[in-house]
Amino acid sequence: MARSKSGDDPSAKERILAAAEKLFAESGFDATPTSRIAEAARVPKGLVHYYFRRKSDLLTALVKRLPDQFIEPANVVVPGDVAASLRGLVAELDARLSDSRLLSHLLWREADTHKDVREALQARFQTIVHQVKAVIIAAGAGSIALADVDSAAGLFALAVSYRHSVARHPEDPPMMDREVEFIADALTLGAGAKT
């Protein structure tokens, strides 16, 4: 078993986190004792507390395991085509979610009662808003009013975030074609009316 210089067993810590994620998702944070986590991770209960002083520290560590939300706009933007650009962004965000579907659902559920989780998810939401805004601006090539971009980015980020908050089933969530078309049409029609 590989140990670090401090004597820590990194595989034990990873097993604890994996067990906590699975058990919190099945039973909820409050209904899952650390003894069950230790048993599922095949470690002594004291080791759970060695790595995570409080049970809530496990949730904090799980938040950090969510995949990075930053997507380079140039990787998804189709110049002049807001709808195709938004579809590309949603596909990228969904691909990142697929690696953490259970974790994402768990954290959305626990956000109601855990301030740290709620704050982390709010920060992630703001990242999505900024991503949507950057994609719309790049795809619209300056032809769309900034106030309209702000409104559209907020609405679209809400729709994406909602999908991700309920995405706990293994099948892929349906593509947001209606939402994409609605927002893209509103933005491009609005841009045409202002010229």
Side-chain angles (χ1 to χ4, degrees), residues 64-86:
K64 292 176 184 172
R65 290 171 59 124
L66 282 170
D68 179 25
Q69 291 291 98
F70 180 77
I71 295 165
E72 183 61 47
N75 294 337
V76 296
V77 168
V78 178
D81 192 339
V82 173
S85 299
L86 289 174

Side-chain angles (χ1 to χ4, degrees), residues 74-149:
N75 294 337
V76 296
V77 168
V78 178
D81 192 339
V82 173
S85 299
L86 289 174
R87 277 191 205 90
L89 179 62
V90 169
E92 284 292 323
L93 290 169
D94 285 352
R96 292 173 187 205
L97 171 71
S98 70
D99 293 335
S100 62
R101 192 177 309 274
L102 187 65
L103 177 58
S104 179
H105 173 68
L106 155 72
L107 294 174
W108 277 97
R109 184 179 67 203
E110 297 300 333
D112 288 339
T113 55
H114 296 90
K115 183 181 177 207
D116 291 345
V117 173
R118 184 171 47 256
E119 288 172 354
L121 291 176
Q122 287 169 343
R124 291 176 68 76
F125 171 75
Q126 289 305 317
T127 299
I128 294 173
V129 170
H130 293 297
Q131 292 281 293
V132 172
K133 186 175 177 178
V135 166
I136 292 171
I137 289 171
S143 66
I144 302 170
L146 194 53
D148 292 344
V149 172

